[in-house]
Amino acid sequence: MANTSAYLVASLLEKMTSDDTDFRYMATNDLINELQSPTFQLEDATEKKVVAAVLNLMKDKNGEVQNLAVKCLGPLVKKVQEPQLQEIVDKLCAYVSQDKEDLREIASIGLKTVIVQVPVNSVVAVNVCKRLVPRLLHHLESGTSSYDAQMDALDILSEVLFRFGSILATTNLQDKTATALFALLSHARPALRKRATLAIGNLVAHIPDNIFEDLMKHILQGLESSKNSPERLRTYIQCTGTISRSNAPRFGKFLSNVAPLVIKYTELDDDELRENALQTLESFVLRCPTEIVPYIDTIITLGLKFLRYDPNYDDGDDNEDDEDENMESDDEDEEDEEEDDDYSDDDDMSWKVRRTSAKLLSAIIGTRQDLLGQLYATIAPSLIARFKEREETVRVEILQTFITLLRQTNTYGGAEYEMEATLENSTKKRKGSRPGTPIETDQSPKALLRAQVPRLTKNLAKQMLSKSMQTRQSGFVLLKELVTVLKGGLETSFMLFVPSVEQSLSTASHTDHHHLGTNSNLKIEALGFLRSLFRTHSPEVFQKQLDHLCPPVISAIQDKFYKISSEALVCCMELIKVVRHMSFDDEAQKYSYSALDPEAKPYILKIYDVILQRVSTADADQEVKERSILCLGVLLSRIGDELKPQLAVCLPLLLEKIQNELTRLMAVKTLSQIVESPVCADADIKDSILLAVPEIASLLRKSNRPLKVASLHFLDVAIRRFGKVLPANTYNELLAELKPLISEEDLHLLPLGLTSIVSVLHSNPSSFGIVKQEILPSVLRLVRSPLIQGQALDSLLALFAALVRTNDKEFPVLISGLVEPAAARGPEGQLILSKQAFSTIAQCMAVLCLNSEKNADMTVNEFLNKIHNAHTSDSLKYLSLIALGEIGRRISLSEHKNLHSSILAMFDQHSEEVRSAAAFAFGNVAAGNVEFYVPIIISEINKDPKKRYLLLHALKEVITRYTQKQGGQEIEAHATEIWELLFANCESQEEGTRNVVAECLGKLTLTNPYKFLPDLQGRLRNESPQIRGTVVSAFKYTFIDNTRSYDELLRPLIVEFLSLMKDKDLNVRRLSLSTLDAAAHNKPYLIRDVLSQLLPLLYRETEVVEELIHIVEMGPFKHRVDDGLEIRKSAFECMYTLLEKCRDKVEIFAFIDRILVGLTDQPDIKMLCHLTLVRLSIVSPTAVAQRLDDMVDPLQATLNFKLKPTAVKQEIEKNQELVRSALRAIAFLSKLADGNATPKFVLFLTEVRSGPNAYDLNQYVTESESRDDFYANMLRSDAMDLS
């Protein structure tokens, strides 16, 4: 391979010196291709020759060869060694210094190419700075250098400062560079001043404080002394903005001197100066959020003033009152609009001032969520008034600013509670709904927005009929955000926008062919608005306007562009739900709906025709095919009783679609909707559904997982509705197809498969024999799995209940099958199965007993015999005890008088697992008969200290079950005695005991909060840190109850309890943070108003305390132990919770500062911070974007971390997990990157994408793009759902 490369290079070198231009060109091009190959290597002997040849070609007479030689430098510098790299730099520096303009220009481009490729930490980088920077400074300071030479020198210097600014600090050139660049700010040529400003921005990130302060003093002097020179003022103001973006922390100290001057100079009568000043103020708002606070009100006033600044055009009084506007007729409005369109003034620059003002206000809105109420009082009315802006670019910017305001309102308005409440009301009435929905007070942002909706809709409606497609498109986005935030709001005014929708969805006229792309986007946004409008408003609102709403949607479905047609179909699904609304009552377990309005029938038939046409079109786009089938399903499931002839046509068509692999999934989903529909009569659909069942059952063999899920759902609903008429052989086929799914391989499919079997047993009890023979062996293998939890466990329990109800004679067989795994002999002293598997088996046996009470007593006695038998294995004893507990939890076992004695005897067993199972069993049995068993537990705790820990666990089970039942007063008689008993044990030296006591205290408090909460409060100041820790942990468990019955007691105690966050004991502080986390999770509305007091204490715990770090010597090794790690983890976990639950009360910039600190901490904390950054990038993108460059170094350090060669497998896996976590955060942050605002992060991103982690990063980027905002997802119910 080496000989081949040497021969090839020799051949190319010969051609590169040829007299023929084409030979030189082709040889250079071939060399570039070879250098880009990862396997190509240059030998030492040929390196110098190749470098010399390429550098020589830069002086070639042919311009194309020269350009190719420059292009060759990029891949070449990656392949050559440092001496040759240095040679390239020296030669290019020499070329740059020459007088030949062509050579100097090409050498400048070459130098930039090389600088980008030189490794930052290499020796060459240092040499580049030492050799190149003095020459560049000479060009800049020399009076004889030409303007073009100085421009080239500035470009190269700026690139050097950006790449190697930290290295320049070691060369003593920073002061000279700063002096030379500052002098250029007074240069006569504007372009040179602008480039000098950019270079200063790259320089200030690395210069020491003294040079930075001198530079700022010079700039301040320049600002004060240039009052009469607008051009110089522009340069100095631009420079302050650039410095604020490059080094905000240091610039912030000078902001109090700079900001007043910038604000003052906006009064000068110079539009370009005003634009620069407003842009600089925008940078201050974004980059110095804390320091700018005193000036925010002034800046808002300034932004509003210049938002209306239009000296060359008088559109009447811009007062916020609408009185004058109300007096104007629609004709006058149209005339005004025509005049606006005709108005033109090429010299008018005021529109730039207005556009920049809108951007400035957008920056304030995006970063000051704490001022939302004030923003609605000040900014919102002015933005609404300026919707009539005559300049399109400005008008669109104003609309975008208002969209930003709406999105901030949605993000920072306690949205997660309101959304859950909305979803509960709009879909199904769920019991135990989460409390704490913020009440929309008159001064809340959403209430203020709602009050401005009439004026907003009136002003916007005028613009929505303008000729500007961009305006209308932004208007539809604004309206969509509006109805999303208010979950309605256009009940009385949506008709104002129907003409605009009709106009936008109409076919483009022949004069608009060059706008077809824009027109498509406009149509898609219009349909998106309609979809949100239908989804967020009551159907009654639209019933009388169907003649205006249906035709545009029907027309759009027939559009030739697939994206428009696809969006129209989704919109049509919502329209159909409006035409005939259905709601499901959970309590009654049935749908309620009204008769179809006769006036709507013609539109329904038209919708049916266009959908059927789309479904039948063979060459349609795949997305259109899928959505047309789904839309057909929504139509038939909602209005099937009015479309009986059409059902006869559609059902065979859907059966046909099941045969096609591309349309199979959607056809199955559609058939499920039809089966679930309350309006489709059995007689109309039965034959087709019976044909579909075996066909769809066969699809369970396919590897397509979504198809399996949809098929299982269909089979379940079809069996429940038509199970009585299904042929017996169909059941046999169906069970045969379900059998392979009864395994732990796919825990998402498993519960669906089990549910289908339950439906089979209910509909056809005669299938029991086949289920027993074919399915039961798989089920009995399944119960041994430690993975059966949640939905899978619930479905498994439902199956056992169905089995025993179908044939209770098989009870002994089922019980023995469940006991069998535990009866096998295993290793001495170890359980044969996992604890989760034992719990699963025990719950299955308890369900069997519950559904066959005549066998329950016999089963309990058998288990008691097993635990009495000395020869019984530990595994069987463990299972017997857990089963007794599960049975006792469901059925009272008070008839078994000596049961407690038998269980208590197990407390003396040698096996720790058996002892813990005995505690579980005793507690659950006691919960069934509190009056009898609780005194025994109390007596035993006082009598036998050795069993105290186990008995406390038993007591915890009793209290837990009691608080969950919320019934009876049995425990009340013993509550005080238990309370004192618990406090007598809360000073135990064993943390496990204290944790159990804390949980018991907290849950016991819920039984009588008015009695026990004040007692907890009184013990907060106890001298014992164990008692203080137990009390604050107990307080945590008071938040688990979702009712609001005792919130008025909790609210005033929050601060006092959580003040233990500043306790002198480290463990007490950690437990306090855990309590704050629980409060934020379960009852955030209680802590929202006191967060300002708690956040400083929380942030303090995120700091690394060196006093808590010590070295432990373990033989020849030294191990670094950080006692503060756990409390820091608790603090960062709590921060993540607060960001999700109380983000409107969190000062986001201080929050981000703590996350940046955490990025340099231990791996566990880094991963928490990565997770938080993902959330921040979604809920606060503007603020996060300002700190992207600050995140580069810690993220880069994480990706580049090298493990020791002796690292064990666990360390390697943990580091890989950390790298994946960092890459996921980078993927989400990459959406916020901007080459101008965050150059360092963009460069870092480029390096990662070309490095070893490129594939993983791309995978995470795809994930981040496919995921919509979590909260937006919650707002959007699935368009395919029937309800």
Side-chain angles (χ1 to χ4, degrees):
M1 181 68 188
N3 291 335
T4 306
S5 296
Y7 175 78
L8 178 64
V9 170
S11 171
L12 292 175
L13 286 172
E14 183 181 345
K15 293 177 182 177
M16 288 167 74
T17 55
S18 169
D19 293 334
D20 190 322
T21 302
D22 291 338
F23 271 42
R24 297 197 304 275
Y25 182 89
M26 292 306 298
T28 309
N29 191 54
D30 292 344
L31 179 62
I32 291 173
N33 293 332
E34 291 299 324
L35 289 170
Q36 287 173 340
S37 170
T39 57
F40 181 81
Q41 295 294 330
L42 282 170
E43 294 182 355
D44 294 346
T46 56
E47 262 191 27
K48 292 182 181 179
K49 295 178 182 177
V50 171
V51 169
V54 171
L55 290 172
N56 192 49
L57 286 178
M58 293 191 69
K59 297 187 287 185
D60 199 280
K61 295 177 182 178
N62 185 283
E64 290 183 357
V65 175
Q66 280 185 315
N67 292 335
L68 214 54
V70 170
K71 186 179 176 182
C72 188
L73 288 173
L76 179 62
V77 294
K78 295 179 182 178
K79 300 286 185 179
V80 299
Q81 298 176 31
E82 290 204 354
Q84 276 67 49
L85 192 51
Q86 193 60 56
E87 172 70 15
I88 292 172
V89 173
D90 287 346
K91 280 279 189 183
L92 290 174
C93 288
Y95 291 167
V96 167
S97 304
Q98 293 190 15
D99 294 331
K100 288 184 179 179
E101 186 176 343
D102 292 345
L103 182 59
R104 189 186 67 245
E105 286 182 2
I106 205 78
S108 298
I109 298 169
L111 262 178
K112 290 179 199 172
T113 305
V114 171
I115 289 167
V116 169
Q117 299 297 337
V118 169
V120 174
N121 298 318
S122 65
V123 176
V124 179
V126 178
N127 291 335
V128 165
C129 290
K130 286 182 178 178
R131 298 189 183 205
L132 184 56
V133 172
R135 298 185 185 186
L136 296 173
L137 293 178
H138 172 73
H139 275 298
L140 296 175
E141 293 170 339
S142 170
T144 58
S145 295
S146 67
Y147 169 70
D148 290 334
Q150 287 186 316
M151 289 287 281
D152 290 339
L154 256 180
D155 276 346
I156 297 167
L157 179 61
S158 187
E159 196 65 48
V160 169
L161 293 173
F162 177 65
R163 292 274 295 163
F164 313 124
S166 55
I167 295 173
L168 197 67
T170 62
T171 60
N172 299 319
L173 290 168
Q174 288 181 319
D175 204 359
K176 292 180 181 177
T177 306
T179 304
L181 290 175
F182 182 78
L184 289 174
L185 294 180
S186 305
H187 198 278
R189 303 290 287 268
L192 206 62
R193 294 200 303 270
K194 189 171 184 178
R195 294 199 187 189
T197 298
L198 295 174
I200 288 174
N202 292 332
L203 174 69
V204 294
H206 306 285
I207 57 177
D209 288 344
N210 60 325
I211 299 178
F212 185 87
E213 288 172 8
D214 287 344
L215 181 64
M216 286 306 303
K217 285 175 184 174
H218 288 312
I219 290 173
L220 279 168
Q221 288 171 4
L223 279 171
E224 290 172 348
S225 62
S226 305
K227 298 175 185 176
N228 300 320
S229 175
E231 284 201 4
R232 286 196 176 184
L233 271 180
R234 282 201 294 272
T235 302
Y236 288 126
I237 288 172
Q238 273 181 335
C239 193
T240 58
T242 303
I243 294 172
S244 71
R245 285 188 287 273
S246 301
N247 200 328
R250 285 199 288 187
F251 178 80
K253 300 172 186 175
F254 295 89
L255 190 68
S256 57
N257 296 321
V258 176
L261 290 172
V262 175
I263 290 169
K264 183 178 76 172
Y265 288 136
T266 58
E267 301 301 325
L268 294 181
D269 190 16
D270 185 318
D271 286 349
E272 198 172 343
L273 176 62
R274 283 196 184 106
E275 184 192 5
N276 285 343
L278 292 169
Q279 284 174 341
T280 300
L281 288 173
E282 180 191 355
S283 177
F284 293 169
V285 168
L286 293 171
R287 301 295 292 161
C288 306
T290 307
E291 294 84 355
I292 200 67
V293 169
Y295 306 100
I296 283 291
D297 288 343
T298 307
I299 293 172
I300 289 174
T301 305
L302 207 62
L304 294 175
K305 174 184 175 182
F306 289 113
L307 189 68
R308 298 188 293 267
Y309 174 72
D310 198 354
N312 300 320
Y313 181 78
D314 182 13
D315 61 351
D317 187 11
D318 203 18
N319 196 339
E320 313 236 335
D321 294 334
D322 285 332
E323 292 176 10
D324 294 338
E325 293 180 42
N326 291 339
M327 294 171 65
E328 293 174 4
S329 67
D330 291 341
D331 294 339
E332 289 172 335
D333 287 339
E334 289 172 12
E335 288 170 15
D336 287 347
E337 189 177 316
E338 287 171 12
E339 288 173 13
D340 290 355
D341 292 335
D342 293 340
Y343 179 82
S344 171
D345 188 340
D346 294 337
D347 298 326
D348 179 20
M349 299 295 289
S350 64
W351 66 271
K352 290 187 177 181
V353 176
R354 298 195 300 279
R355 185 184 62 183
T356 311
S357 297
K359 287 183 177 180
L360 172 60
L361 294 173
S362 182
I364 293 171
I365 293 166
T367 56
R368 308 300 308 187
Q369 66 272 10
D370 53 317
L371 300 178
L372 265 179
Q374 179 186 336
L375 298 179
Y376 270 107
T378 54
I379 294 179
S382 294
L383 289 173
I384 293 169
R386 291 304 303 169
F387 285 172
K388 62 184 177 184
E389 165 66 45
R390 63 186 174 86
E391 189 69 38
E392 182 185 8
T393 53
V394 183
R395 185 165 60 241
V396 170
E397 193 64 52
I398 290 169
L399 292 172
Q400 288 297 332
T401 301
F402 204 89
I403 290 168
T404 303
L405 180 59
L406 292 173
R407 286 174 179 164
Q408 287 291 89
T409 308
N410 197 31
T411 304
Y412 293 98
E416 65 278 0
Y417 301 129
E418 295 180 9
M419 279 188 288
E420 183 143 348
T422 302
L423 290 177
E424 286 172 7
N425 295 333
S426 63
T427 56
K428 300 174 183 178
K429 298 176 182 177
R430 294 193 293 244
K431 293 181 181 178
S433 59
R434 186 164 158 195
T437 304
I439 298 169
E440 198 175 284
T441 62
D442 291 343
Q443 295 306 310
S444 70
K446 290 188 180 180
L448 294 170
L449 170 61
R450 201 178 291 279
Q452 298 188 39
V453 166
R455 187 160 171 269
L456 182 154
T457 52
K458 181 181 177 184
N459 286 13
L460 184 60
K462 296 175 184 175
Q463 303 307 318
M464 294 298 287
L465 292 171
S466 69
K467 296 176 184 176
S468 166
M469 288 191 181
Q470 192 63 43
T471 299
R472 281 189 278 158
Q473 189 173 327
S474 298
F476 284 128
V477 174
L478 189 154
L479 288 168
K480 186 163 65 173
E481 293 292 337
L482 177 68
V483 297
T484 300
V485 172
L486 295 179
K487 300 173 185 59
L490 298 183
E491 290 82 0
T492 59
S493 52
F494 77 92
M495 280 303 296
L496 289 172
F497 303 101
V498 170
S500 177
V501 171
E502 292 174 326
Q503 177 185 342
S504 300
L505 293 179
S506 63
T507 308
S509 65
H510 64 280
T511 57
D512 284 342
H513 286 313
H514 62 293
H515 288 309
L516 280 177
T518 312
N519 195 32
S520 298
N521 293 334
L522 175 62
K523 287 185 176 183
I524 290 168
E525 290 298 345
L527 290 164
F529 159 61
L530 273 184
R531 177 158 56 118
S532 297
L533 182 74
F534 296 147
R535 183 176 292 160
T536 54
H537 290 73
S538 170
E540 290 77 17
V541 173
F542 308 105
Q543 291 297 336
K544 295 185 179 179
Q545 306 297 338
L546 293 178
D547 54 335
H548 293 288
L549 297 171
C550 293
V553 177
I554 293 169
S555 170
I557 292 173
Q558 298 169 289
D559 199 282
K560 292 179 181 179
F561 185 38
Y562 77 95
K563 285 190 176 180
I564 295 172
S565 181
S566 175
E567 186 66 33
L569 285 164
V570 179
C571 180
C572 188
M573 293 184 213
E574 298 299 331
L575 176 61
I576 294 165
K577 294 173 188 178
V578 164
V579 173
R580 191 180 205 177
H581 180 61
M582 281 185 185
S583 58
F584 185 74
D585 189 337
D586 240 2
E587 294 179 6
Q589 285 293 303
K590 66 177 185 179
Y591 285 95
S592 60
Y593 56 92
S594 56
L596 181 68
D597 184 348
E599 294 181 10
K601 184 75 180 281
Y603 296 114
I604 290 298
L605 293 174
K606 286 181 183 177
I607 290 172
Y608 169 79
D609 290 338
V610 295
I611 294 174
L612 189 65
Q613 182 188 350
R614 281 296 184 187
V615 171
S616 306
T617 304
D619 59 348
D621 179 81
Q622 179 63 19
E623 188 177 293
V624 175
K625 283 182 185 176
E626 291 179 353
R627 290 187 170 179
S628 60
I629 293 171
L630 285 172
C631 192
L632 182 62
V634 173
L635 180 67
L636 296 177
S637 63
R638 294 264 170 170
I639 315 175
D641 53 342
E642 299 285 342
L643 299 172
K644 291 188 178 185
Q646 286 81 1
L647 266 173
V649 175
C650 292
L651 288 171
L653 182 61
L654 289 170
L655 292 176
E656 184 185 319
K657 295 294 179 184
I658 292 174
Q659 308 300 322
N660 187 326
E661 190 174 348
L662 296 176
T663 55
R664 185 175 285 155
L665 174 60
M666 296 305 154
V668 173
K669 286 186 174 183
T670 297
L671 284 171
S672 297
Q673 288 189 31
I674 292 170
V675 174
E676 287 183 286
S677 169
V679 299
C680 293
D682 288 3
D684 296 329
I685 64 173
K686 182 179 71 174
D687 293 341
S688 296
I689 299 303
L690 293 181
L691 286 172
V693 168
E695 188 70 40
I696 292 177
S698 68
L699 298 179
L700 296 176
R701 304 175 206 158
K702 303 292 182 183
S703 59
N704 185 334
R705 194 161 175 268
L707 178 62
K708 285 184 179 181
V709 172
S711 300
L712 285 167
H713 177 66
F714 168 80
L715 292 171
D716 182 40
V717 297
I719 293 166
R720 277 193 271 129
R721 183 163 181 178
F722 297 109
K724 300 296 182 185
V725 294
L726 271 176
N729 65 321
T730 303
Y731 279 115
N732 298 344
E733 293 172 17
L734 179 56
L735 290 169
E737 300 293 354
L738 288 170
K739 182 181 175 181
L741 301 179
I742 311 305
S743 75
E744 60 181 17
E745 289 181 8
D746 193 325
L747 292 175
H748 184 57
L749 292 176
L750 174 61
L752 297 170
L754 292 171
T755 303
S756 297
I757 295 170
V758 171
S759 297
V760 169
L761 287 170
H762 285 160
S763 299
N764 187 36
S766 60
S767 299
F768 182 89
I770 299 174
V771 172
K772 178 185 173 183
Q773 184 180 346
E774 298 294 331
I775 305 292
L776 190 59
S778 300
V779 172
L780 294 176
R781 284 193 297 273
L782 186 68
V783 296
R784 307 180 190 193
S785 169
L787 305 175
I788 306 302
Q789 301 173 38
Q791 263 192 317
L793 178 57
D794 293 340
S795 302
L796 187 63
L797 297 178
L799 175 60
F800 275 99
L803 285 169
V804 77
R805 282 202 297 267
T806 304
N807 188 350
D808 67 348
K809 292 179 182 178
E810 297 292 332
F811 182 91
V813 176
L814 296 172
I815 286 288
S816 61
L818 288 167
V819 172
E820 185 185 347
R825 287 286 172 185
E828 190 65 33
Q830 293 182 22
L831 297 179
I832 197 167
L833 299 174
S834 68
K835 289 183 178 180
Q836 179 60 41
F838 277 120
S839 175
T840 301
I841 294 171
Q843 289 182 65
C844 291
M845 290 192 288
V847 165
L848 289 175
C849 291
L850 181 64
N851 288 278
S852 180
E853 292 187 12
K854 66 182 182 182
N855 292 303
D857 287 342
M858 177 187 68
T859 307
V860 170
N861 288 327
E862 286 180 10
F863 287 138
L864 285 172
N865 291 335
K866 284 183 173 64
I867 63 175
H868 286 148
N869 191 336
H871 300 293
T872 304
S873 67
D874 286 347
S875 291
L876 199 49
K877 283 181 180 177
Y878 182 88
L879 175 61
S880 300
L881 287 164
I882 294 291
L884 285 170
E886 292 292 349
I887 295 169
R889 179 154 69 91
R890 293 169 171 84
I891 305 170
S892 175
L893 301 181
S894 53
E895 292 181 6
H896 299 264
K897 300 299 181 185
N898 297 320
L899 179 61
H900 68 279
S901 303
S902 302
I903 296 175
L904 280 172
M906 294 295 102
F907 281 26
D908 296 321
Q909 287 286 308
H910 176 72
S911 168
E912 185 180 338
E913 283 80 10
V914 173
R915 294 201 303 272
S916 68
F920 173 84
F922 195 19
N924 281 281
V925 168
N929 193 346
V930 171
E931 187 175 350
F932 178 74
Y933 287 113
V934 167
I936 297 174
I937 295 176
I938 294 171
S939 171
E940 291 291 333
I941 290 174
N942 289 323
K943 186 170 65 176
D944 195 344
K946 291 182 180 178
K947 298 178 181 176
R948 186 171 295 160
Y949 177 69
L950 293 170
L951 288 162
L952 284 169
H953 266 287
L955 185 60
K956 181 194 77 175
E957 294 291 338
V958 177
I959 296 171
T960 301
R961 304 301 177 200
Y962 177 82
T963 53
Q964 285 177 349
K965 287 179 184 176
Q966 296 291 329
Q969 300 298 317
E970 299 94 341
I971 210 168
E972 286 290 331
H974 309 284
T976 304
E977 190 178 359
I978 295 172
W979 187 263
E980 296 301 331
L981 177 68
L982 291 170
F983 270 110
N985 289 279
C986 71
E987 287 193 80
S988 169
Q989 293 305 307
E990 295 179 8
E991 187 177 358
T993 302
R994 295 200 305 273
N995 290 341
V996 176
V997 168
E999 187 172 348
C1000 289
L1001 285 169
K1003 291 178 177 177
L1004 190 60
T1005 300
L1006 296 177
T1007 65
N1008 192 346
Y1010 291 91
K1011 176 181 178 181
F1012 293 125
L1013 265 177
D1015 194 13
L1016 276 182
Q1017 181 186 7
R1019 299 176 192 259
L1020 277 175
R1021 302 301 169 210
N1022 195 288
E1023 293 181 2
S1024 167
Q1026 283 89 356
I1027 290 181
R1028 294 198 303 275
T1030 304
V1031 167
V1032 79
S1033 285
F1035 192 57
K1036 173 175 73 176
Y1037 291 100
T1038 63
F1039 294 108
I1040 62 172
D1041 185 4
N1042 282 332
T1043 64
R1044 305 185 70 168
S1045 56
Y1046 57 95
D1047 283 358
E1048 71 277 8
L1049 276 177
L1050 284 176
R1051 196 183 300 275
L1053 302 179
I1054 289 277
V1055 174
E1056 188 173 353
F1057 272 91
L1058 294 179
S1059 64
L1060 290 181
M1061 287 165 64
K1062 52 187 176 186
D1063 195 277
K1064 60 186 177 183
D1065 186 83
L1066 182 67
N1067 192 49
V1068 174
R1069 296 205 304 275
R1070 182 179 63 80
L1071 293 170
S1072 300
L1073 290 175
S1074 180
T1075 301
L1076 175 60
D1077 192 38
H1081 258 299
N1082 297 300
K1083 298 200 172 187
Y1085 55 92
L1086 289 180
I1087 62 169
R1088 288 164 59 83
D1089 295 334
V1090 296
L1091 270 185
S1092 57
Q1093 302 171 52
L1094 300 176
L1095 281 175
L1097 302 176
L1098 175 63
Y1099 292 158
R1100 191 176 69 183
E1101 297 302 338
T1102 62
E1103 297 170 2
V1104 177
V1105 181
E1106 293 296 332
E1107 291 78 12
L1108 296 175
I1109 300 173
H1110 56 276
I1111 305 298
V1112 176
E1113 294 188 5
M1114 302 172 71
F1117 304 104
K1118 291 185 177 180
H1119 185 55
R1120 190 171 182 265
V1121 178
D1122 185 352
D1123 291 335
L1125 178 60
E1126 287 303 316
I1127 194 169
R1128 294 203 304 281
K1129 281 172 66 176
S1130 296
F1132 280 105
E1133 286 168 359
C1134 191
M1135 285 175 64
Y1136 181 83
T1137 305
L1138 290 173
L1139 181 65
E1140 187 176 351
K1141 305 292 184 180
C1142 306
R1143 57 186 176 274
D1144 56 322
K1145 294 295 182 180
V1146 173
E1147 204 288 296
I1148 208 71
F1149 293 100
F1151 188 94
I1152 293 173
D1153 286 341
R1154 300 320 307 161
I1155 296 300
L1156 288 174
V1157 171
L1159 288 175
T1160 60
D1161 209 318
Q1162 298 290 328
D1164 288 346
I1165 290 173
K1166 284 182 180 179
M1167 289 175 70
L1168 282 169
C1169 291
H1170 296 156
L1171 196 62
T1172 309
L1173 281 176
V1174 170
R1175 168 66 63 226
L1176 278 168
S1177 71
I1178 295 169
V1179 301
S1180 198
T1182 307
V1184 175
Q1186 311 313 312
R1187 305 302 300 273
L1188 285 181
D1189 283 357
D1190 300 330
M1191 297 173 193
V1192 169
D1193 291 339
L1195 289 172
Q1196 200 163 36
T1198 298
L1199 295 183
N1200 297 339
F1201 180 75
K1202 301 295 181 188
L1203 290 167
K1204 295 177 182 177
T1206 56
V1208 296
K1209 182 182 178 183
Q1210 187 180 6
E1211 291 174 318
I1212 295 170
E1213 289 176 350
K1214 191 169 185 178
N1215 186 64
Q1216 289 172 343
E1217 188 181 0
L1218 178 62
V1219 169
R1220 286 195 297 270
S1221 171
L1223 288 170
R1224 186 168 183 270
I1226 293 166
F1228 277 82
L1229 294 172
S1230 66
K1231 294 185 288 186
L1232 312 178
D1234 180 347
N1236 295 323
T1238 57
K1240 190 174 179 181
F1241 188 86
V1242 170
L1243 181 63
F1244 165 63
L1245 203 57
T1246 305
E1247 291 172 358
V1248 176
R1249 281 178 171 151
S1250 60
N1253 296 308
Y1255 176 78
D1256 289 338
L1257 179 65
N1258 290 332
Q1259 292 291 103
Y1260 288 123
V1261 167
T1262 304
E1263 175 199 330
S1264 70
E1265 289 173 350
S1266 64
R1267 270 187 54 187
D1268 286 332
D1269 186 337
F1270 173 76
Y1271 298 100
N1273 272 343
M1274 284 190 67
L1275 278 166
R1276 294 172 172 84
S1277 58
D1278 187 5
M1280 295 77 181
D1281 285 349
L1282 179 64
S1283 58

